[in-house]
Structure formats: structure tokens, C-alpha cells
Amino acid sequence: MSGRTGAGLFDRPATPLGTWLKIASGEPVEIMAYAGFDFVVIDLEHAPLDLQTAYRLINSAAALGVVPIVRVPDTTASTIQKILDAGAMGILVPHVDTVEQAAAVGRACRFPPHGVRGAGGTSRAGAWGLRPNAEYLATGNDDVLCIPQLESVEAIKAAPEILALDTVDAVFVGAADLSMSMGSTPASPDVLDLIRSAIEAAHAAGKRCGLAFGGVPEKAAQAVRDGCDFVLLSNDTTMLAEAARNLVKAFREADG
């Protein structure tokens, strides 16, 4: 398997379990930590979160022993730079379709000579300048996870080349967008075949493949048995919404 572990995320005995954070508040990340999640993905692609909010959530997650990963809204090096300076231990990058795009993202995550990330040792990632520079640079190159998100047939076909890049540590298959691009559904056989091929490509490269499953833990567990290496379940907003709806429904039924 790939040597980078994202603050030990991939060294744990159990399958790494995460959830998405979409609420611009510190309480959800605390709740997810107390609930036992191994990592959180702070979602800057599909949630109205800004950089300062992500900054606070990264810090809270790390302080609580939860690995902070950020899904960036785009592939620009400047965005990735700021998120990594904020202390994120992993970057999830949506809509990476080609090996060229993956290579650019990987370079943005690594310091020279492995990439083009600029040194910012006075940031949180460098303990405000108190971390020895050699340690700061080594952590950036040796521990931070770079995870392209594969969301098209083109991306799945390019998976072996993407996973062959030294700067890429894992891939994440976005089954919803993948199936939409095919005019299909996430549970259709053609989509499942592509997901299996991505998992096989990851394992052939000695790396990992992750998936998300909404609020269906049984499907996630089956996927792990089928070879998936890390999973995401639900998100903070949906957990709140479903709990609220179920509470109201239960009361209305009990109230007659």
C-alpha cells in the first residue's frame, strides 16, 4: 500500500470511516468525533463553506483526533495551497478525469522537488513557524493524502495511470456523478462494474479506493467486503434532517 497514511488514517486496524461536513459551525465536527468517526471531509464543493470556516473545522477535527480532509471546490494550486497551510491532512479533488489533471493536483500537494507547493512554515501546518522546517517539509511530502475523485467513464479508464503517479495516494469514486454521466444509476450493473475496476486498479498499484454510501451502513460494509478500502456515510445536514423528520413523525403517530 501507499506509504502516506494521512496522520495514521490508513494505519488503523479497522476500515477508516468518515462523514461529510457541510454546516458552517464547530459543533458538528465535535459530534462526529464523539460519535467515533475516523475522519471528516469538509466539503467546499457542495456546501456554502468559506476558507475561514474550513480553517476552524480543520483545527477542531485535528484537536479531537479526527483526521481532517478537505474536498476542494476546484483543482487550482492556490486553493490547495491554502487548505494545506491550514493544516488539512488530505485533499479530495472532484472531477479529475485525466492523468494530466491528476498529475497537476499531485504536484500542488507536494513541495519541490516532488511538486510545486510553496513553503509556508509560519502557517498552522508549520506550527506558526515553531516546527523545524525539515519536519514541516517532510510532513507535507510524506503524510498529506492526495485523493483524486473519479466521476466519469474517462476517469475510470484513466485510473491505472492516475494511480501510478507517486504523488497520488488513493482514489475516490463519485458513484452519483459517474452514473449521471452515463445516464444510469449508482446501483446499475454497468456502474458497479466500473467501480470494481477502479478498486482493482487501486489495489494493483498498492493504493486505496474509497466510496460514499449515504445513510446505508449495510451497503458500505458489503463494499468493504468486496474490496473498498475507506468509506463515507451520510453528512451532518442529512443526519440532522433525518433525525428531525423521524422525531416529528414519531410524535404525530403517537399523538394520534
Side-chain angles (χ1 to χ4, degrees):
M1 288 293 181
S2 171
R4 300 185 192 94
T5 64
L9 179 64
F10 291 146
D11 284 338
R12 304 183 185 197
T15 302
L17 173 62
T19 191
W20 306 93
L21 294 181
K22 299 175 178 289
I23 298 175
S25 175
E27 286 79 6
V29 68
E30 294 182 38
I31 291 169
M32 301 311 165
Y34 297 141
F37 284 97
D38 301 301
F39 68 99
V40 291
V41 179
I42 300 159
D43 192 359
L44 301 190
E45 183 192 17
H46 287 299
L49 303 179
D50 59 21
L51 185 61
Q52 285 190 339
T53 301
Y55 196 85
R56 292 195 298 272
L57 296 181
I58 289 167
N59 187 51
S60 295
L64 292 163
V66 177
V67 174
I69 296 174
V70 176
R71 177 157 68 176
V72 292
D74 53 56
T75 61
T76 59
S78 60
T79 299
I80 292 171
Q81 169 83 57
K82 290 178 180 179
I83 291 298
L84 292 178
D85 281 346
M89 294 310 301
I91 298 291
L92 182 64
V93 187
H95 300 291
V96 175
D97 295 318
T98 68
V99 67
E100 291 80 12
Q101 291 171 340
V105 167
R107 288 193 299 270
C109 290
R110 312 294 173 210
F111 296 113
H114 309 288
V116 297
R117 179 182 171 188
T122 56
S123 64
R124 172 178 285 140
W128 314 115
L130 300 179
R131 173 175 287 178
N133 193 56
E135 179 185 328
Y136 161 70
L137 296 176
T139 299
N141 278 335
D142 300 336
D143 205 17
V144 170
L145 297 172
C146 175
I147 309 174
Q149 192 161 319
L150 311 181
E151 303 179 86
S152 68
V153 175
E154 180 185 11
I156 300 294
K157 289 181 177 179
E161 293 178 274
I162 290 171
L163 285 153
L165 296 170
D166 289 339
T167 51
V168 168
D169 304 293
V171 291
F172 179 86
V173 179
D177 282 341
L178 173 62
S179 63
M180 282 196 299
S181 74
M182 300 166 63
S184 188
T185 66
S188 66
D190 50 350
V191 174
L192 294 177
D193 284 344
L194 290 174
I195 292 172
R196 276 191 291 271
S197 72
I199 293 172
E200 290 169 0
H203 294 174
K207 297 180 181 180
R208 298 167 175 85
C209 182
L211 295 164
F213 291 92
V216 190
E218 297 82 7
K219 287 186 178 181
Q222 182 59 54
V224 170
R225 290 191 288 271
D226 291 339
C228 179
D229 302 293
F230 61 99
V231 297
L232 284 135
L233 286 175
S234 196
N235 62 79
D236 52 3
T237 54
T238 299
M239 291 183 204
L240 176 61
E242 290 181 345
R245 181 176 60 188
N246 290 340
L247 188 63
V248 171
K249 181 181 178 182
F251 171 76
R252 296 302 182 198
E253 290 174 351
D255 189 43

